[in-house]
Amino acid sequence: MGRSLKEDVYCRLKEEILYGQFNPNVVLTEGEIAQKFLVSRTPARQALQKLENENMIKRNSTGCGWTIAVVRLEEIHEMLELDCALVDLMIHHTMERITEKSVLSLEKQLEQIGLLVEQREIHHAADLCRQFRISIMEEAKMPLVMKVWLSIPPLCNFNWLWNGIPLEKHLHSIADNRVLMEAIKERDALKFEKTYRRHTEEYFEWCTEVYQRFRL
């Protein structure tokens, strides 16, 4: 069964947002989205409302149209700090509970990430990096902490921010997964924590540079 018009517009529009087709200052309106995707205003409005509910876009204060969601730099810092704190909490349990079968599965995920990087499929590689880290934290067997951790929006949700970071820095970030994998194989929680913390601090520096560029 095919997708409804609302779902089709939603999926296509979300993809364009995630892949950086809009800058943070652009205004999205029902009429323009309807015209862009050759549909009526109703499925366009429904798609926009769904994206608003996911915090990917926000309604203008005037009530006329939506803009790409822009979070304050302080909020980015808070999200990254919370991310690190929860990872620190879970990783010690992961090191105690992870099985050799899971380690092999993680190594296969890492190989897939490497192939995507070689093909310059950086967005897909980043998606798989997130899944790689989710797989690591799932081994902690801490469902309540995991639920809170997964509620933190990944930076790739803020496409203008994620796409503003230069490619070579994304590649550098992706390479950190190899160090994380080494720490897991060595059952070295401290090495994992230090690498993850450095990785997070670098990301915040890169985000700050993007904010300065956009003068936000």
Side-chain angles (χ1 to χ4, degrees):
M1 190 178 206
R3 294 188 303 207
S4 66
L5 277 178
K6 177 192 74 174
E7 285 299 316
D8 185 57
V9 174
Y10 160 78
C11 290
R12 291 164 66 189
L13 183 55
K14 182 174 183 177
E15 183 176 2
E16 290 196 8
I17 291 173
L18 288 174
Y19 282 78
Q21 299 300 310
F22 304 101
N23 68 48
N25 300 312
V26 70
V27 176
L28 307 175
T29 66
E30 291 177 19
E32 290 170 342
I33 296 303
Q35 185 176 21
K36 178 181 178 67
F37 294 108
L38 302 177
V39 296
S40 69
R41 283 176 174 262
T42 298
R45 180 174 62 256
Q46 291 171 332
L48 287 163
Q49 288 172 339
K50 187 172 181 179
L51 289 168
E52 181 182 10
N53 291 338
E54 293 179 358
N55 297 316
M56 292 192 67
I57 60 176
K58 62 180 181 180
R59 192 179 292 274
N60 287 340
S61 57
T62 60
C64 182
W66 290 261
T67 53
I68 306 303
V70 177
V71 292
R72 293 182 297 110
L73 195 57
E74 292 81 3
E75 291 173 319
I76 292 290
H77 185 262
E78 185 179 345
M79 286 191 292
L80 293 176
E81 283 295 316
L82 179 58
D83 178 277
C84 273
L86 294 174
V87 166
D88 287 353
L89 183 62
M90 289 187 285
I91 194 60
H92 289 272
H93 291 278
T94 289
M95 295 302 183
E96 293 172 359
R97 298 168 180 174
I98 193 167
T99 64
E100 288 303 321
K101 181 179 179 181
S102 295
V103 170
L104 290 174
S105 176
L106 289 170
E107 288 184 316
K108 288 180 180 178
Q109 289 185 47
L110 205 54
E111 289 175 8
Q112 289 181 293
I113 292 170
L115 289 173
L116 289 171
V117 169
E118 288 177 10
Q119 297 164 3
R120 285 297 188 265
E121 295 284 345
I122 304 305
H123 274 279
H124 292 161
D127 289 341
L128 198 52
C129 283
R130 177 165 170 76
Q131 184 54 54
F132 172 75
R133 293 172 192 177
I134 289 173
S135 297
I136 293 170
M137 297 311 150
E138 283 176 338
E139 294 296 317
K141 306 296 190 293
M142 301 177 73
L144 295 180
V145 179
M146 190 73 178
K147 185 176 181 179
V148 175
W149 185 60
L150 290 174
S151 71
I152 304 171
L155 290 182
C156 59
N157 275 16
F158 309 105
N159 70 295
W160 60 273
L161 177 60
W162 201 90
N163 284 284
I165 297 173
L167 176 62
E168 63 272 13
K169 292 186 176 180
H170 282 301
L171 294 175
H172 172 74
S173 172
I174 290 171
D176 280 339
N177 289 305
R178 286 195 286 271
V179 184
L180 297 179
M181 189 71 238
E182 289 172 7
I184 291 168
K185 293 171 74 173
E186 296 164 6
R187 302 299 194 273
D188 190 339
L190 183 59
K191 180 177 180 178
F192 191 103
E193 288 173 1
K194 286 183 176 179
T195 302
Y196 200 92
R197 168 65 64 175
R198 174 184 53 76
H199 164 89
T200 302
E201 289 173 350
E202 287 177 348
Y203 246 113
F204 183 67
E205 290 176 5
W206 302 340
C207 290
T208 302
E209 292 171 4
V210 176
Y211 266 75
Q212 291 171 344
R213 196 178 316 143
F214 276 102
R215 299 182 184 280
L216 294 173

